[in-house]
Structure formats: structure tokens, C-alpha cells
């Protein structure tokens, strides 16, 4: 793949393998061609710098979150930090690369000197007039697009190649024209052809969306029969497709590329219209900049040191500032995928339930004692589920005869600002409160959603002391349930209705999974027949 990790810096350009990124902390995207986005997907979770057009395409077609995309204006200089404390910074300037929509060159300036990364580009003399380059600054390292860096490969200029395409179409005035393109690039050529032949250019909906973003002339449509020039994917142009098209209407196909392609049909024409600089253009570019060294960015293309006669003397390797070294050696600030998956799982709301805990005899008991009691309570809850439950009205009459004549059908809800768990100190000697069985794994946001808090109101008398005597009794036994006059008072009247219903609802009535709101609904459903009596 194309892309580099710039040595002695935290900079990576068109490089998206985090496993191999090492010390890279700042990631840059030159353009949106697929060979420069290998490894870049919707799961990307690092700040990423690119041009505004590439930012739009990155989110639109690769679904990268806008949270991580940093669009930088082309032609302007931007200051970025190179460490976590802001002591070291660099200046990056984006320069139009004349390659495809959104493609840019990056000029980095910092403690490392001046580095120019061209990405894929087609040289024009106007590039040397850019403010960031025309001041005659020394380029220490030039990362160069060497796609066509071959003296034996002679390419015409884009203007000359476009003229050849126009002449070819004029020789076939009655033919439909199929122009094979990649998913991005050569939109200006299509505009030129449309204006030259006064016809609509038929595009796919995806490419039409792009040309509308670029602000080109209104010469494009998605209607198949609207014009004679059709832009298609380059892989569609093959022998079988040509046979099919010519059965319907005389058709020729044009492939505007500098690549060596074997023609599979006589009506397929290859025109050397390239978005990459020719060898002669590369020579002119390097001779004008006179960098200290040239580094090719296309590994598959042989590079034989063609520009040695145009280089300036090499400089010593710069010393990396201490703060930058710490920044580069520190572990990535974003947790890995497995940790994100685990964190997301832990944040899921846990199944709520009813937990019965015996009142503590000592409010200042150690944590070990509380853990031991928690284990016993879980066993007790299981035993309660197995035992037959008394009818709610029977329990109501036995426990609270003074409340039987009062209406206790109202619903109660906790104030969100209190975030307290409802607690009943029943004469049975049990402290009943509602909480998640996995409460320790819930985040604050999840606790707010399901109404679970970390504070529990202790049972006992008003002064906070634990009840005395043997006040425990098993729910579900046939023997009468006794209660002590020394038991702690119930909650405030506005909380009694729903709270009592929770207490008097058999454990085995609840479903295994439910939300906090569904929990209340199940309690109301259970007590509705008795309320109507």
C-alpha cells in the first residue's frame, strides 16, 4: 500500500495499520483513492487530518465518525501539537495535488526540518507559486509520487491527452461513448467533454453527488438515455460488455489512463490521460525544489536515484525533543478494540431483582462481614423463591392491620436528584431494597437510566440502631407472622403504596428479564385484581 511513517516524528501519512504504526500519533490522509485508504474503515478512532472534500467523502462512503475527522483548509497553514503538553508544535500546509477531488500535498515544518509529502499528484508550474513553496525554503525530505518515474515512459500533458479524446469522439459522431473511470477522479475531463459536444454526461448517482459537491457545470445526469457520453466503472469495459452495447447501439469505449492495458476489443481505445506526473514533470519539480533527499512513496515502482544531480547537501538527523519522545513512546490514548467491547458490555443495564438482606447488627461492620452476609442473602433469596407464598391480602392483614382500611394503590417514584434505593424495614426483620445484581459494573449514566443508586437507607429504629431480638421469620411459612412494636416506621406516605406492593409480591411472579419500568408494571398487574375487590 501507499503510505509512510515519517522517521523521528509522530507523523503518519496514508498509513492506517495501527498494529504497525508504532510511534505514530498524528494521521494524515492525502486523498480518497482506495490504495491510500487500506485499513481505514468505520471503526477508525484516532484524529485524522485531511482536506474538506476528503473529510466529506470519508464520512459519506467509509462511515468514519465525524468525531475523528479534522478538516484543514487547502492553501492555509495550520499549527498542530507534537506532544501532550503543547511545548512542541509543527506547521502543516495543504497544497492542491491536481490528482482527484480533495487530493492534497502536505508540507510539514517543525523540529525535523521541512518535509513535503506529495501523495499522488500531477505537476503543474503553478504549484511552485504557492506561498508555502515560493519563498525559497529548503525542503529537507521530499516524499515523491513515483508512479510514472520511468524515462522510457513518455506521457502527453493532460491538455494534449484531452485533445486526443475529443478528436476520437469526433471521428465517431453516431456512436455512444463509454468512458471507464475509477470511483474518484477525472470529473473535470467529463465536464470538458460535455461542454465540447453539447451533451449530457450520464453518471452513477454516487458520482453525481460528488460533482455537485465540486460545483462543476450543470452538465451531468443519471438518466440513461439523456446523453451519448456515459461514465462507467473501468472494470465494466471488457469484451463481453462491448458486444452487448454494440447490439443495442454503435458504441466505443475510452480508457483514459497511463497504465499498460491489453485491449480486448477493437472498439476499446486507451488514451494516456494520467493524473500522475510524467517523468519529465517530476524532473522539473525536483530541480525547482532542490530537496536534500527524495523518498519514493510507491514501493512497487523501481527507483534508481534519478534525481541525484538535483539534490542539496544532506543535513544531520534532528534530535527529537524530550516531550515528543514521551508522546511517541506513550501507549495509545485510545483503548483497544477488545477493551472497548468489554466496556460496552459492562455498561449494559443489568437485570434488576429483589435482594433480601438481614439487618446488620453493627452499622460499622467490616467489608468482609458485609461480603459474607451478601453471599448468605443470595442463598436466602433462592430459598424464598422455592417456598409457597401467602396471598397478598393475608399478609397485608397480618402485618399491617391499621392500613387495611386505607387506600394504598398509588404509585411512587424516587426523585431523580436523590438517586436513593427504596428500602422497607418490615417487621419480618428483613431490609428490602431494589438494586441491580451487577450494580458494581454500572456506569453513572446507566444508573440514572434505570434508577439505581449506590446509597441504601439502613433499616432499624429512627436513631439508626439495629433492631433487637429475634425478628427474622421466613416468608411463605404457615405459622402466623409476628411483628414487634419496636420495628422501624415505614417510608413516607407517598412511597407506601408501590413499596408495599413490592414487598407483598411473590418473588417467583417476576420474569427473568425486565426493565425498571416493566418491573413496576408487573407489580401493578399482580395487585390489580385485589385492588378491585
Amino acid at each position: 500500500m501507499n503510505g509512510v511513517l515519517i522517521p523521528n516524528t509522530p507523523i503518519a501519512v496514508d498509513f492506517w495499520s495501527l498494529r504497525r504504526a508504532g510511534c505514530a500519533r498524528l494521521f494524515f490522509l492525502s486523498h480518497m483513492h482506495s490504495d491510500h485508504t487500506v485499513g481505514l474503515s468505520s471503526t477508525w478512532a484516532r484524529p485524522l487530518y485531511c482536506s474538506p472534500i476528503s473529510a466529506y467523502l470519508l464520512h459519506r462512503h467509509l462511515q468514519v465518525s465525524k468525531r475523528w475527522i479534522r478538516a484543514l483548509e487547502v492553501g492555509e497553514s495550520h499549527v498542530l501539537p507534537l506532544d501532550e503538553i503543547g511545548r512542541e508544535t509543527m506547521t502543516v500546509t495543504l497544497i492542491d495535488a491536481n490528482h482527484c477531488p480533495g487530493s492534497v500535498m502536505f508540507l510539514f515544518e517543525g523540529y525535523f526540518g521541512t518535509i513535503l509529502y506529495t501523495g499522488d499528484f500531477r505537476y503543474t508550474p503553478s504549484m511552485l507559486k504557492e506561498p508555502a513553496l515560493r519563498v525559497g525554503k529548503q525542503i529537507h525530505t521530499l516524499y515523491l509520487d513515483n508512479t510514472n518515474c520511468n524515462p522510457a515512459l513518455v506521457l502527453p500533458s493532460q491538455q494534449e491527452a484531452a485533445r486526443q479524446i475529443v478528436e476520437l469522439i469526433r471521428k465517431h459522431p453516431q456512436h455512444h461513448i463509454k468512458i471507464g473511470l475509477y470511483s474518484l477522479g477525472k470529473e473535470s475531463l467529463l465536464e470538458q467533454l460535455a461542454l465540447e459536444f453539447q451533451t449530457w454526461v450520464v453518471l452513477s448517482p454516487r458520482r453525481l453527488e460528488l460533482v455537485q459537491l465540486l460545483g462543476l457545470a450543470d452538465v451531468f445526469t443519471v438518466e440513461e438515455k439523456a446523453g451519448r457520453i456515459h461514465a462507467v466503472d473501468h472494470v465494466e469495459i471488457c469484451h463481453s460488455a462491448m458486444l452487448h452495447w454494440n447490439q443495442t447501439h454503435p458504441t466505443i469505449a475510452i480508457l483514459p489512463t497511463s497504465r499498460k492495458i491489453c485491449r480486448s476489443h477493437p472498439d476499446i481505445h486507451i488514451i494516456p490521460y494520467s493524473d500522475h506526473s510524467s517523468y519529465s514533470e517530476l524532473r522539473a519539480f525536483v530541480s525547482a525544489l532542490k530537496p536534500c533527499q527524495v523518498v519514493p512513496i510507491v514501493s512497487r515502482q523501481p527507483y534508481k536515484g534519478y534525481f541525484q544531480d538535483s539534490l542539496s547537501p544532506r543535513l544531520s538527523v534532528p534530535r527529537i525533543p524530550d516531550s515528543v519522545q514521551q508522546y511517541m513512546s506513550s501507549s495509545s490514548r485510545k483503548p483497544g478494540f477488545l477493551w472497548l467491547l468489554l466496556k460496552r458490555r459492562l455498561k449494559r443495564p443489568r437485570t434488576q431483582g429483589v435482594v433480601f438482606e438481614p439487618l446488620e447488627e453493627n452499622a460499622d461492620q467490616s467489608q468482609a462481614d458485609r461480603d459474607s452476609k451478601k453471599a448468605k442473602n443470595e442463598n436466602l433469596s433462592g430459598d424464598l423463591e422455592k417456598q409457597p407464598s401467602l396471598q397478598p391480602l393475608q399478609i397485608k392483614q397480618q402485618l399491617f392491620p391499621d392500613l387495611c382500611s386505607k387506600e394504598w394503590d398509588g404509585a411512587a417514584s424516587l426523585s431523580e436528584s436523590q438517586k436513593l434505593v427504596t428500602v422497607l424495614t418490615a417487621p419480618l426483620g428483613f431490609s428490602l431494597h431494589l438494586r441491580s445484581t451487577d450494580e458494581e459494573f454500572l456506569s453513572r449514566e446507566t444508573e440514572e437510566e434505570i434508577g439505581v443508586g449506590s446509597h441504601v437507607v439502613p433499616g432499624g429504629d429512627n436513631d439508626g440502631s439495629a433492631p433487637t431480638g429475634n425478628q427474622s421469620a421466613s416468608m411463605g411459612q404457615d405459622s402466623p407472622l409476628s411483628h414487634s412494636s419496636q420495628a422501624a416506621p415505614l417510608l413516607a406516605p407517598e412511597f407506601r403504596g408501590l413499596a408495599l406492593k413490592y414487598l407483598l409480591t411473590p418473588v417467583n411472579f417476576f420474569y427473568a428479564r425486565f426493565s425498571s419500568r416493566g418491573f413496576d408494571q408487573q407489580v401493578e398487574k399482580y395487585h390489580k385484581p385485589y385492588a378491585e375487590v
Side-chain angles (χ1 to χ4, degrees):
M1 62 173 284
N2 288 301
V4 298
L5 300 173
I6 299 180
N8 305 312
T9 75
I11 302 171
V13 188
D14 295 342
F15 194 97
W16 313 111
S17 174
L18 293 177
R19 182 176 57 85
R20 299 187 293 119
C23 298
R25 296 294 182 268
L26 299 172
F27 295 86
F28 295 83
L29 172 66
S30 65
H31 64 289
M32 277 291 293
H33 276 162
S34 59
D35 57 332
H36 290 256
T37 59
V38 176
L40 189 55
S41 68
S42 60
T43 61
W44 182 261
R46 303 289 190 281
L48 183 160
Y49 300 90
C50 59
S51 68
I53 292 178
S54 293
Y56 171 83
L57 298 174
L58 191 60
H59 176 69
R60 183 73 173 84
H61 299 308
L62 292 185
Q63 287 78 49
V64 175
S65 173
K66 291 181 179 180
R67 173 185 177 186
W68 305 112
I69 302 175
R70 310 286 191 268
L72 304 178
E73 289 298 328
V74 180
E76 297 183 6
S77 297
H78 308 268
V79 178
L80 301 178
L82 290 174
D83 55 26
E84 294 180 320
I85 60 178
R87 179 179 300 171
E88 285 292 332
T89 62
M90 74 170 179
T91 300
V92 56
T93 306
L94 281 63
I95 302 172
D96 188 353
N98 188 34
H99 177 69
C100 71
S103 62
V104 293
M105 300 185 286
F106 292 108
L107 181 67
F108 302 106
E109 300 172 84
Y111 71 87
F112 42 76
T114 303
I115 297 174
L116 178 61
Y117 180 91
T118 67
D120 291 349
F121 85 119
R122 183 73 193 254
Y123 169 74
T124 63
S126 62
M127 291 178 176
L128 299 176
K129 299 179 182 180
E130 289 288 335
L133 295 177
R134 69 183 179 186
V135 294
K137 63 182 60 176
Q138 179 65 61
I139 304 296
H140 298 97
T141 304
L142 173 63
Y143 287 89
L144 187 66
D145 173 19
N146 58 313
T147 301
N148 293 328
C149 188
N150 183 356
L153 180 60
V154 180
L155 295 175
S157 65
Q158 286 184 326
Q159 293 74 18
E160 173 60 24
R163 189 190 63 80
Q164 294 179 22
I165 295 175
V166 169
E167 291 299 323
L168 177 62
I169 295 176
R170 283 178 178 166
K171 292 178 181 179
H172 301 82
Q174 304 302 322
H175 286 64
H176 284 174
I177 312 299
K178 304 288 185 179
I179 299 182
L181 304 175
Y182 294 99
S183 60
L184 186 66
K186 299 183 174 66
E187 288 78 14
S188 59
L189 171 63
L190 298 177
E191 179 188 40
Q192 180 180 347
L193 296 178
L195 297 175
E196 178 71 27
F197 295 99
Q198 295 296 300
T199 181
W200 292 97
V201 174
V202 181
L203 306 177
S204 66
R206 176 171 176 170
R207 191 181 286 269
L208 179 62
E209 179 185 2
L210 173 63
V211 297
Q212 290 173 343
L213 178 68
L214 298 176
L216 299 178
D218 186 16
V219 293
F220 303 99
T221 182
V222 294
E223 297 182 17
E224 284 290 330
K225 299 181 179 180
R228 58 187 291 241
I229 299 179
H230 292 224
V232 299
D233 192 281
H234 70 286
V235 298
E236 294 185 42
I237 297 181
C238 58
H239 182 79
S240 59
M242 293 304 303
L243 294 178
H244 173 73
W245 289 330
N246 278 287
Q247 287 178 354
T248 305
H249 193 280
T251 303
I252 63 170
I254 300 174
L255 289 172
T257 180
S258 60
R259 296 186 177 184
K260 294 181 179 180
I261 299 177
C262 296
R263 294 201 306 166
S264 59
H265 191 278
D267 289 330
I268 297 178
H269 303 269
I270 301 173
I271 305 296
Y273 184 103
S274 179
D275 289 326
H276 297 269
S277 302
S278 65
Y279 175 76
S280 61
E281 291 169 341
L282 293 176
R283 290 282 304 178
F285 185 61
V286 176
S287 297
L289 293 180
K290 290 183 169 45
C292 297
Q293 64 173 333
V294 175
V295 179
I297 63 174
V298 182
S299 57
R300 68 175 183 274
Q301 176 65 36
Y303 175 73
K304 301 179 181 179
Y306 293 117
F307 309 106
Q308 292 299 323
D309 58 341
S310 300
L311 302 183
S312 297
R314 295 283 295 272
L315 300 178
S316 59
V317 177
R319 177 183 176 277
I320 306 176
D322 293 338
S323 61
V324 179
Q325 285 184 344
Q326 294 177 3
Y327 181 48
M328 295 168 60
S329 61
S330 63
S331 60
S332 179
R333 292 168 291 174
K334 189 68 180 175
F337 173 75
L338 292 178
W339 168 245
L340 289 175
L341 185 62
L342 177 61
K343 183 178 179 182
R344 184 179 302 176
R345 183 176 181 85
L346 293 179
K347 287 183 67 175
R348 292 177 182 171
R350 302 293 175 171
T351 303
Q352 289 180 287
V354 179
V355 181
F356 292 91
E357 294 185 358
L359 294 175
E360 296 180 358
E361 297 181 358
N362 186 355
D364 297 326
Q365 233 175 347
S366 65
Q367 183 63 39
D369 293 336
R370 287 196 294 268
D371 293 341
S372 176
K373 286 191 175 185
K374 181 177 179 181
K376 294 179 181 179
N377 293 336
E378 292 176 354
N379 296 332
L380 179 58
S381 297
D383 295 335
L384 290 174
E385 292 183 6
K386 299 177 183 179
Q387 295 175 359
S389 300
L390 293 175
Q391 293 298 324
L393 289 180
Q394 294 176 349
I395 299 177
K396 173 185 175 183
Q397 292 171 357
Q398 293 174 3
L399 292 179
F400 314 109
D402 57 328
L403 298 178
C404 290
S405 60
K406 297 182 180 180
E407 186 68 25
W408 57 298
D409 198 29
S413 60
L414 290 177
S415 169
E416 185 158 89
S417 62
Q418 292 175 331
K419 299 291 187 300
L420 298 179
V421 177
T422 303
V423 176
L424 290 179
T425 305
L428 297 177
F430 289 102
S431 175
L432 169 66
H433 58 95
L434 308 179
R435 73 180 184 187
S436 169
T437 55
D438 291 320
E439 185 175 295
E440 62 273 21
F441 295 109
L442 297 181
S443 65
R444 181 177 297 274
E445 294 82 0
T446 306
E447 289 177 331
E448 293 176 356
E449 291 175 3
I450 64 178
V452 175
S454 59
H455 301 86
V456 178
V457 180
D461 296 334
N462 291 337
D463 60 358
S465 61
T468 59
N470 184 11
Q471 296 179 351
S472 62
S474 299
M475 290 182 66
Q477 291 182 353
D478 294 332
S479 59
L481 297 174
S482 62
H483 64 278
S484 170
S485 59
Q486 300 297 324
L490 294 173
L491 296 178
E494 61 269 21
F495 290 98
R496 289 178 180 173
L498 188 58
L500 289 175
K501 292 180 182 181
Y502 276 123
L503 177 63
L504 302 179
T505 302
V507 176
N508 56 12
F509 179 77
F510 296 105
Y511 298 109
R513 296 181 63 86
F514 44 82
S515 64
S516 57
R517 183 176 179 182
F519 196 1
D520 295 343
Q521 292 175 348
Q522 291 185 63
V523 173
E524 295 290 352
K525 180 180 178 181
Y526 181 82
H527 290 278
K528 185 176 180 180
Y530 302 105
E532 295 175 352
V533 176

